[in-house]
Amino acid sequence: MNDSQIIVKVGIADLNMVSAPQTIRTSGLGSCIGAVLYDLPKKIAGLAHIMLPDSSLARQDSINTYKYADTAIDILIEKLCENGARKYALQAKLAGGAQMFQFSSTSEIMRIGPRNVEAVKEKLNMHYIPIVSMDVGGNCGRTIEFDPATGELKIRTVTKGQSFI
Amino acid sequence: MKFYHLSIKHIDVLREIGNIGAGNAATSMSKLLNKKIDMQIPSVNIVAFDEVMDLVGGPDNPIVAIYIRIKGQAPGSVFFILSIEEAEHLVREITTDTNVKLLSEEQPSEIAISALHEAGNILAGSYLSALSDFTEINMQPSVPHLSVDMAGAVLTVGLLELSHVSDYAIIIDTKINDNEETNGIHGHFFLLPDPESIPKIFTALGIDDHE
């Protein structure tokens, strides 16, 4: 297999990193957020598939820190910097945060998509990481793939085909 | 009781729940389509979130899902899941509209959508009422919600409640099918009880937690 065909996959509530010529992908984002952080000159990128906004809501003894916006972003930044990325050069692209079902009730759990978006934005703000582009909200699922060589984020949906941000 | 440490006895009880629920739903479906519907023995799995999507073909596989939120004493989620082709087939059976396309640039026809809603309502409703009768636990179904999209995006909705307490889900998966070799309907019922509902279900059925 050719090097350029290696795609690293990230599961739900997980994160990982790649450097060019590899690309990184996560599939079936609904209310979850795919947060990509990258250092373009160094061609390094990390992707977190974040499920929930806030780890303080957890009712679990040992929490999975990759699941929450407030913890996963910190870890992703740390890991990227350990692997040669420069924090001041990091930029972000976001996708996801949809509301898959339109509920009439105002149940908090059903508004999780928009809340995830807010939580990730807030966290990136705290770290002074600029958000270059994003495709969030709406009510469709997204599969995303990031190429650290070009800084392009490919977004695929089931009805609207592919787009790049 | 630890959520993901179920004894064989517990698993048997959950399997029986899937059996009773889907059995009732299969009867309803059989009446709706006027043909014989078979069901398989339910499987009870404790799976990581990623594996939930793998049960229906992976996170970016498009599916048609009817989602009902269970309210009442033992909250949880029920999904009735079909592949795109199967759902189109089901709509054709119900409406005799032969040009159904659920996945295209245009919105599917209103008739197709309401046929699926109604089928989902009947199926999931009969699943739940059987469950409620058997356990004598008060369970009320929400209005059914329909989504045609990637499995990962759709099923995550049912995992959110769980995800506060666990990285695993108990899935009671029952397949039903209509016996036709080609173009058949093979639906999945997923029952995902919320974490606090599991002990309630066991207690209601006289199963001791402490073993």
Side-chain angles (χ1 to χ4, degrees), chain A residues 12 28 59-60 67 101 103 141, chain B residues 50 145 149 153 163-165 167:
Chain A
I12 187 166
R59 304 190 297 270
Q60 212 172 353
K67 191 157 64 183
F101 296 95
F103 283 86
Chain B
D50 280 323
H145 298 275
D149 214 312
S163 66
H164 287 298
V165 291
D167 292 302

Side-chain angles (χ1 to χ4, degrees), chain B residues 1 39 41 45-46 53-54 62 72 90-91 95 117 121 129 148 171 193-194 200:
Chain B
M1 184 190 67
M39 66 177 249
I41 295 169
N45 292 304
I46 300 160
M53 320 328 177
D54 290 340
L90 179 63
V91 172
T95 64
H117 257 134
N121 206 5
S129 66
V148 183
I171 291 212
D194 283 2
K200 285 185 193 157

Side-chain angles (χ1 to χ4, degrees), chain A residues 15 17 66 74-85:
Chain A
L15 59 81
M17 284 174 301
Y66 296 175
D74 288 347
I75 294 168
L76 191 58
I77 294 170
E78 200 175 298
K79 289 203 171 198
L80 281 165
C81 292
E82 276 169 19
N83 282 274

Side-chain angles (χ1 to χ4, degrees), chain A residues 11-12 27-30 32 51-52 57-61 64 67-68 100-103 109-110 112 139-143 156-159, chain B residues 2 49-50 53 59-60 62 65 67 69 79 103-105 145-150 152-154 156-157 159-161 163-167:
Chain A
I12 187 166
S27 298
L29 288 166
C32 297
M51 202 172 173
L52 294 168
L57 300 173
R59 304 190 297 270
Q60 212 172 353
D61 300 337
N64 172 4
K67 191 157 64 183
Y68 302 94
M100 297 308 296
F101 296 95
Q102 304 303 316
F103 283 86
I109 209 84
M110 296 311 160
I112 209 84
N139 57 2
C140 65
R142 297 169 172 95
T143 286
R156 192 171 64 78
T157 66
V158 289
T159 50
Chain B
K2 267 273 190 236
F49 291 165
D50 280 323
M53 320 328 177
D60 53 3
Y67 170 57
R69 178 83 193 141
F79 288 94
L103 208 57
S104 64
E105 289 279 338
H145 298 275
L146 175 72
S147 181
V148 183
D149 214 312
M150 298 173 179
V154 175
T156 303
V157 176
L159 301 176
L160 288 173
E161 275 296 339
S163 66
H164 287 298
V165 291
S166 173
D167 292 302

